[in-house]
């Protein structure tokens, strides 16, 4: 609601580039890039646009949205589902995105243990009674490491065309900088946080004294949260309703890791095979017959590989070779490729993951591929 309002009303008179809502989201994204939180909750997430942007931040493993209006959340929540590409190339990190229906005036244990909580243009929508409970719920109960709160700066309003009392009919109040800062400082003091003020949406030249269009407070918990402090929270009854959950495919899940390793092994083995066969074909006097018909044992040295491949292959006791119409590629050779190595960690894990998934020699030490085109 807010973003449409700004885009329409500011055109021609005060135009923010990028639009103000994007500047607020970018501010949060920059904060995420800086602090690398693993668990992030967006309170008053509305149409989930910020969550949708944040799901691309690789540090985040748990992303939660909360809103008192289920309808607005449900409208676009499908955007938070994994895409085909997420399955084709699962990420290293795990990621679960969940949407809850509920109010920031109520405590629910599902909101414990977060690193970052964002409240973007939320507080001005709260009734007086909700605003009173808000600090105890967010800072006292959830107690995340960082809280970001943004709200309109009413001192900027005279510069906005058509704004008489407030920027939006649902706003219960709009604070000037002194009001917001005094509320934020008192909240920070009560719950042992430090707070710093900034904003987005620069005032026009000559009007600098009004401050930013959106004021922002960043609260940082003074004493770090420990697992014990999260767990020692008084048990609270669950009151929120989960309306959406998406678990993203991840290499942390053995099933996806195995698929990725097998794909990589087959790809690597094919490259080695091709390199070996190309070499054989380029030596007509030595290997004159067609390979598939030749019952010749072949023990090429590492210079059978293209230069690129050669640099990737570390010392192996055994090297790839052709026997009849079968190419044997030692597992040690495949494991020496950085991507395979990085995915599996250890040679034992590598062997465990590919067992029964690729055709191995009778002693289990090499991948077997037919010399024929596959
Ligand atoms: N953060 C979004 C939406 C801001 S509008 C953005 O930046 O665009 C405020 C949102 O807060 C609305 O979606 C409204 O439904 C929600 N809201 C209002 N009161 C709430 C409450 N008590 N608890 C949780 N969400 C609330």
């Amino acid at each position: 609601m807010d973003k449409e309002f700004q885009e329409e009303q500011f055109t021609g008179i005060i135009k923010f580039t990028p639009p103000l809502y994007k500047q607020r989201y970018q501010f949060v994204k920059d904060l995420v890039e800086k602090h690398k939180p693993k668990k992030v909750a967006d309170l008053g997430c509305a149409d989930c646009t910020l969550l949708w942007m944040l799901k691309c931040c690789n540090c985040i493993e748990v992303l939660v949205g909360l809103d008192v209006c289920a309808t607005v959340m449900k409208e676009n929540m499908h955007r938070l589902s994994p895409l085909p590409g997420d399955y084709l190339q699962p990420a290293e990190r795990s990621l679960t995105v969940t949407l809850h229906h509920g109010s920031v005036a109520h405590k629910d244990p599902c909101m414990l243990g977060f690193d970052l909580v964002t409240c973007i243009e939320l507080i001005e929508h709260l009734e007086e009674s909700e605003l009173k409970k808000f600090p105890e719920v967010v800072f006292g109960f959830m107690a995340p490491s960082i809280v970001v709160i943004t709200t309109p700066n009413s001192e900027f309003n005279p510069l906005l065309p058509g704004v008489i009392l407030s920027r939006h009919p649902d706003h219960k109040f709009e604070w000037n900088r002194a009001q917001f800062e005094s509320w934020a400082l008192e909240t920070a003091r009560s719950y042992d946080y430090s707070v710093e003020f900034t904003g987005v949406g620069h005032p026009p030249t000559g009007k600098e004294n009004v401050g930013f269009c959106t004021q922002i407070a960043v609260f940082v918990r003074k004493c770090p949260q420990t697992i014990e402090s999260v767990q020692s929270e008084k048990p609270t009854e669950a009151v929120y309703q989960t309306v959406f959950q998406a678990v993203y495919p991840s290499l942390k899940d053995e099933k996806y890791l195995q698929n990725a390793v097998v794909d990589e092994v087959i790809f690597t083995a094919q490259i080695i095979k091709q390199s070996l066969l190309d070499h054989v074909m380029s030596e007509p006097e030595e290997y004159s017959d067609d390979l598939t018909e030749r019952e010749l044992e072949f023990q090429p040295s590492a210079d059978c590989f293209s230069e690129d491949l050669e640099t990737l292959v570390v010392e192996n006791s055994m090297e790839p070779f052709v026997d009849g119409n079968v190419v044997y590629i030692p597992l040690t050779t495949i494991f020496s490729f950085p991507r395979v190595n990085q995915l599996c960690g250890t040679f034992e894990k590598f062997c465990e993951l590919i067992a029964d998934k690729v055709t191995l020699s009778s002693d289990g030490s090499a991948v077997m591929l037919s010399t024929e085109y596959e």
Side-chain angles (χ1 to χ4, degrees):
M1 282 184 292
D2 281 351
K3 35 191 178 199
E4 281 158 26
F5 163 81
Q6 282 149 4
E7 274 167 6
E8 272 173 33
Q9 300 290 316
F10 292 0
T11 308
I13 298 157
I14 289 189
K15 192 170 186 282
F16 291 109
T17 317
L20 205 51
Y21 79 95
K22 281 195 182 164
Q23 293 190 38
R24 290 192 286 262
Y25 295 165
Q26 190 57 49
F27 180 88
V28 174
K29 233 183 150 192
D30 292 346
L31 210 68
V32 166
E33 297 302 340
K34 184 174 166 203
H35 296 279
K36 310 261 179 244
K38 279 190 176 173
K39 290 184 75 177
V40 178
D42 184 29
L43 312 184
C45 63
D47 65 1
C48 310
T49 307
L50 178 59
L51 294 170
W52 175 76
M53 273 176 75
L54 293 180
K55 81 183 175 78
C56 304
C57 299
N58 283 329
C59 58
I60 299 178
E61 294 180 1
V62 174
L63 197 51
V64 165
L66 172 75
D67 205 288
V68 79
C69 176
T71 320
V72 69
M73 272 194 295
K74 285 179 181 172
E75 262 169 31
N76 285 312
M77 68 185 182
H78 61 270
R79 287 192 297 174
L80 301 173
S81 298
L83 298 169
D86 294 313
Y87 289 97
L88 287 172
Q89 221 164 12
E92 302 258 337
R93 54 110 187 223
S94 59
L95 172 65
T96 305
V97 185
T98 312
L99 296 179
H100 298 295
H101 175 217
S103 168
V104 291
H106 300 136
K107 297 174 182 175
D108 188 299
C110 71
M111 299 309 275
L112 293 174
F114 281 81
D115 303 306
L116 170 67
V117 165
T118 58
C119 310
I120 309 303
E121 306 298 272
L122 165 71
I123 59 169
E124 65 276 10
H125 291 266
L126 302 179
E127 301 283 355
E128 206 181 327
S129 61
E130 293 175 316
L131 185 68
K132 261 203 182 119
K133 291 177 187 154
F134 175 84
E136 173 50 26
V137 175
V138 175
F139 295 89
F141 177 72
M142 296 183 194
S145 310
I146 303 175
V147 181
V148 185
I149 297 183
T150 81
T151 195
N153 166 19
S154 64
E155 291 165 80
F156 201 102
N157 287 358
L159 301 179
L160 303 176
V163 172
I164 298 158
L165 285 173
S166 77
R167 296 184 196 178
H168 192 276
D170 190 52
H171 287 179
K172 311 299 185 295
F173 60 89
E174 280 175 3
W175 281 335
N176 60 30
R177 281 170 294 174
Q179 288 169 311
F180 180 50
E181 287 175 17
S182 119
W183 176 86
L185 285 166
E186 175 52 23
T187 303
R189 194 196 55 75
S190 306
Y191 295 96
D192 213 19
Y193 279 75
S194 63
V195 60
E196 283 185 10
F197 300 97
T198 179
V200 289
H202 282 277
T205 315
K207 299 280 182 189
E208 288 83 358
N209 60 327
V210 302
F212 290 107
C213 190
T214 295
Q215 36 186 347
I216 301 178
V218 180
F219 301 78
V220 178
R221 219 171 104 121
K222 283 188 182 162
C223 55
Q225 201 173 28
T226 60
I227 293 169
E228 292 75 39
S229 70
V230 173
Q231 286 169 347
S232 70
E233 294 284 351
K234 281 182 225 114
T236 316
E237 225 181 284
V239 289
Y240 296 167
Q241 259 195 326
T242 303
V243 293
F244 172 90
Q245 186 160 66
V247 180
Y248 276 65
S250 151
L251 295 178
K252 294 242 161 67
D253 181 334
E254 187 95 354
K255 176 177 72 183
Y256 293 110
L257 176 65
Q258 185 170 48
N259 283 345
V261 170
V262 170
D263 281 354
E264 201 61 37
V265 166
I266 292 170
F267 177 73
T268 307
Q270 291 289 356
I271 292 177
I272 296 172
K273 174 187 123 177
Q274 205 48 55
S275 180
L276 200 57
L277 297 181
D278 288 350
H279 177 79
V280 170
M281 296 305 192
S282 67
E283 308 252 326
E285 62 289 353
E286 241 181 289
Y287 311 106
S288 49
D289 300 333
D290 181 56
L291 244 180
T292 53
E293 286 165 18
R294 189 161 30 87
E295 295 297 312
L296 229 183
E297 276 211 7
F298 176 64
Q299 297 274 341
S301 61
D303 63 2
C304 288
F305 299 110
S306 68
E307 260 178 50
D308 280 356
L309 284 173
E310 199 182 328
T311 54
L312 288 169
V313 180
V314 295
E315 272 192 25
N316 295 307
S317 52
M318 193 179 151
E319 288 170 348
F321 65 96
V322 184
D323 185 9
N325 61 355
V326 177
V327 181
Y328 291 83
I329 302 151
L331 294 186
T332 46
T333 304
I334 296 174
F335 184 66
S336 69
F337 277 70
R339 177 72 183 144
V340 179
N341 197 294
Q342 183 205 352
L343 281 169
C344 306
T346 65
F347 187 69
E348 288 67 35
K349 185 74 191 168
F350 166 61
C351 294
E352 184 195 316
L353 287 167
I354 63 163
D356 307 328
K357 295 280 173 189
V358 291
T359 312
L360 296 179
S361 56
S362 55
D363 67 352
S365 68
V367 170
M368 292 166 67
L369 289 180
S370 163
T371 52
E372 283 167 40
Y373 179 75
E374 286 174 54

